[in-house]
Amino acid sequence: MRPVKESIARIGSVALFQLSILRALGPALARPRLIVNQVYNCGARSLVIIMLCGLFVGMVLGLQGYQLLARFGSESALGVAATLGLLKELGPVVTALLFAGRAGTALTSEIGLMRATDQLTAMQMMAVDPIRHVVAPRFIGGVIAMPLLVAVFNIVGIFGSQLVGVTILGVDQGTFWSQMQNAVELKDVNEGIVKSVAFGVICSLLAVFEGYHTEPTAEGVGLSTTRTVVASSVMTLLVDYMLTAAFLNY
Amino acid sequence: MIDRSPLPDPIIDVRGLHYGVEGRKIFDGVDITVERGSITAVMGPSGTGKTTLLRLITGQSVPSAGSVKVFGEDIGGYGRQGLLALRRRMGMLFQNGALLTDLDVFENVAFPVRQHTKLPEPLLRRLVLMKLEAVGLRGAAKLMPQELSGGMARRVALARAIVMDPEILIYDEPFVGLDPISMGMVCRLIRELNDALGITSIVVSHDVQEVGTIADRSYLLAGGKVVASGNAEQLQATHDPAVRQFMDGLPDGPVPFHYPAGDYRSQLLDAGDLK
């Protein structure tokens, strides 16, 4: 019973923490420089890893998709298959998992170290609310950065699948792009955007929550960082299933 | 020996303070009075709750019983907004400085001013430089906190603590980890800032010698109570064993050298669990 109670209490704490961030959103948005810094920290600094992984995922999609479609003589549909897979699922999910490992851990350890070195308490003593000054800008920065990273991941991924499918395996270039243009609809893009925003909220919220509630020791910061990755990954996959089911009207 | 002579105009008045954490009693009826314009030292062995006392005075923790009055009003009655307003009248120097590591020295000192005022940039610049000059670190304005020594970081934190011209300045273990030169500098700064700016200072420390030279009145905490209070001479004249052990730095006494343990001989001969 005890772990169940603790889990429920933790979910309650995260919800209350989210409320306190929402209350601080207005004042935080009034200082856009802080948010721009955080979009840079979470977004721009994750670009290389996102682009690299996007390229590899796209290339694998090109290979596997071609093998599968060739069995039914439908290699020409490779562009559609790869793009839909990336837009609706792989783009948001893989980006969120990478975000949790790269930007999420950085957020948690940064805020956790601020806790351990009394910087957050010092702010409180200077009558400055750390939620408003430290937590909210990082949360907003993460939520803005995620859809942008997903877009970059998708673009590079589509290029990767094109590279393998068209350049190496010989699918017709015109068919690859025209079929994609005909089959991919705005609602497919929207599904990806909704998912990326949802994952942005989840990963950023869990990262700042864990950092803010870190036990102020070296071990505490390490534990919080681990919890950020684990909780963000599990929640991302769970919410992905729920959103997919909702979009498919199940 | 507890000096109970009345003090004029208390700016902080702690009466019958009781406080505990997870069943462990930390304060068991503590009375402390801090008079306006004075330097008051709170001393005691490690783990006696000196930092906890500061948390109670600044409203970061709530007492189980008793009252903590700051500027004549109970700290519990301030409310959230009231506490924020109260903290603008207080400055605090943390044990490790607690400088914001993503800002340089200048911006660290300017931080509270930027947060609470819309001071024009030229005026802010002059104000920050004056405060840095007061702690002797005007030349370090563009350094990052990672480039500072422990003593320098402490002095920058002091400049930050006084930049909003507080009425009360709280020092949490200001001498820990400092070399003798830095210690002397911080000591002199505490006295000079107190006298020049008319601040009321509270210094929490266990450095008897350093605190003795600057404090107008000292309180010695042990076992959750104030075991002695008065000026340096009065404390030195005390014969209470707990006070003597602390003042003379004796390794054994009322605060035992050995942590409570079972029988030594049987534990050495017995291969069982250590309890």
Side-chain angles (χ1 to χ4, degrees):
Chain A
M1 275 310 284
R2 197 161 163 233
V4 177
K5 272 187 189 170
E6 279 175 4
S7 302
I8 293 171
R10 195 158 193 86
I11 292 168
S13 307
V14 174
L16 288 175
F17 192 68
Q18 172 73 82
L19 278 181
S20 61
I21 293 177
L22 289 179
R23 273 199 298 269
L25 278 190
L29 287 167
R31 292 173 188 269
R33 205 171 61 102
L34 288 178
I35 296 173
V36 170
N37 282 346
Q38 293 311 320
V39 173
Y40 174 77
N41 278 339
C42 293
R45 289 190 169 169
S46 308
L47 261 182
V48 174
I49 185 176
I50 292 289
M51 288 171 78
L52 262 180
C53 294
L55 182 70
F56 295 143
V57 168
M59 288 167 75
V60 169
L61 268 181
L63 270 179
Q64 293 280 18
Y66 183 86
Q67 292 296 324
L68 183 71
L69 292 169
R71 288 185 199 176
F72 309 104
S74 320
E75 305 94 290
S76 54
L78 179 64
V80 183
T83 307
L84 286 180
L86 280 166
L87 281 181
K88 288 156 75 102
E89 283 302 330
L90 286 170
V93 172
V94 177
T95 306
L97 297 178
L98 291 170
F99 183 91
R102 165 65 185 80
T105 50
L107 284 178
T108 302
S109 53
E110 186 191 9
I111 300 176
L113 279 172
M114 290 176 88
R115 165 73 67 205
T117 52
D118 283 332
Q119 292 181 51
L120 299 181
T121 317
M123 277 187 194
Q124 282 174 324
M125 279 309 301
M126 289 185 272
V128 175
D129 182 5
I131 300 271
R132 191 181 289 187
H133 190 84
V134 174
V135 174
R138 282 164 176 74
F139 172 76
I140 300 169
V143 174
I144 294 174
M146 181 74 88
L148 299 176
L149 290 174
V150 171
V152 171
F153 185 97
N154 286 341
I155 291 167
V156 179
I158 291 168
F159 170 75
S161 65
Q162 191 260 178
L163 189 72
V164 171
V166 175
T167 316
I168 301 174
L169 299 172
V171 175
D172 180 63
Q173 175 104 296
T175 321
F176 183 93
W177 291 109
S178 63
Q179 286 224 8
M180 185 197 301
Q181 198 178 4
N182 285 334
V184 177
E185 296 174 22
L186 188 63
K187 69 179 173 61
D188 301 317
V189 180
N190 287 342
E191 187 176 332
I193 292 175
V194 170
K195 282 185 177 179
S196 64
V197 173
F199 299 159
V201 170
I202 290 168
C203 294
S204 308
L205 175 63
L206 290 172
V208 292
F209 174 83
E210 290 295 347
Y212 196 76
H213 293 91
T214 295
E215 199 181 319
T217 58
E219 191 191 8
V221 176
L223 273 176
S224 296
T225 311
T226 309
R227 270 205 300 263
T228 294
V229 180
V230 174
S232 301
S233 307
V234 172
M235 285 305 293
T236 295
L237 295 170
L238 173 70
V239 172
D240 181 48
Y241 172 75
M242 289 159 70
L243 284 176
T244 306
F247 277 113
L248 295 174
N249 294 320
Y250 279 110
Chain B
M1 179 213 65
I2 299 173
D3 181 2
R4 294 189 188 280
S5 55
L7 294 166
D9 194 13
I11 201 163
I12 294 172
D13 198 16
V14 178
R15 287 280 155 256
L17 176 69
H18 287 75
Y19 183 75
V21 179
E22 293 169 358
R24 193 169 72 90
K25 204 177 269 184
I26 295 177
F27 296 126
D28 187 16
V30 166
D31 296 329
I32 287 176
T33 306
V34 178
E35 64 180 293
R36 197 179 290 272
S38 68
I39 297 180
T40 302
V42 178
M43 298 193 286
S46 301
T48 44
K50 300 188 293 294
T51 302
T52 309
L53 181 67
L54 295 187
R55 293 182 62 83
L56 289 159
I57 289 174
T58 54
Q60 295 176 66
S61 301
V62 183
S64 326
S67 72
V68 178
K69 284 186 179 173
V70 183
F71 296 116
E73 195 177 330
D74 197 282
I75 197 88
Y78 272 98
R80 192 181 142 79
Q81 288 306 318
L83 265 184
L84 289 177
L86 173 72
R87 286 175 186 163
R88 290 195 202 182
R89 299 169 70 184
M90 291 177 160
M92 184 158 176
L93 182 76
F94 286 82
Q95 239 177 73
N96 53 13
L99 296 177
L100 304 178
T101 40
D102 54 342
L103 301 178
D104 65 21
V105 165
F106 182 94
E107 286 302 324
N108 258 291
V109 179
F111 181 77
V113 188
R114 287 197 198 283
Q115 294 298 315
H116 296 304
T117 69
K118 294 195 186 305
L119 214 58
E121 201 59 32
L123 207 57
L124 173 76
R125 187 171 178 277
R126 266 174 241 163
L127 176 69
V128 172
L129 288 178
M130 280 161 63
K131 300 298 179 188
L132 281 174
E133 175 71 13
V135 298
L137 289 176
R138 186 166 45 83
K142 292 323 276 179
L143 294 182
M144 293 303 285
Q146 300 86 316
E147 299 174 89
L148 304 175
S149 69
M152 286 166 82
R154 215 73 58 92
R155 283 150 67 195
V156 174
L158 191 50
R160 186 179 66 180
I162 58 170
V163 76
M164 294 291 285
D165 292 331
E167 293 166 62
I168 300 175
L169 201 42
I170 297 171
Y171 301 85
D172 186 6
E173 303 280 10
F175 310 114
V176 168
L178 294 187
D179 61 78
I181 301 171
S182 304
M183 208 180 266
M185 282 181 187
V186 173
C187 240
R188 200 185 77 181
L189 278 171
I190 294 175
R191 185 75 253 179
E192 282 182 0
L193 290 174
N194 193 83
D195 297 345
L197 305 177
I199 298 174
T200 304
S201 307
I202 304 172
V203 183
V204 157
S205 178
H206 48 230
D207 291 279
V208 178
Q209 299 305 324
E210 281 67 32
V211 171
T213 58
I214 52 169
D216 299 310
R217 189 182 181 87
S218 302
Y219 288 88
L220 185 53
L221 291 176
K225 293 179 186 297
V226 174
V227 291
S229 68
N231 57 29
E233 291 79 32
Q234 286 171 316
L235 286 187
Q236 282 300 348
T238 308
H239 296 293
D240 183 288
V243 180
R244 287 268 45 98
Q245 184 191 5
F246 184 75
M247 300 297 286
D248 301 335
L250 303 175
D252 210 352
V255 178
F257 173 72
H258 288 287
Y259 191 80
D263 181 56
Y264 187 36
R265 181 185 162 83
S266 59
Q267 218 166 34
L268 284 179
L269 297 174
D270 186 8
D273 286 342
L274 293 175
K275 286 179 184 171

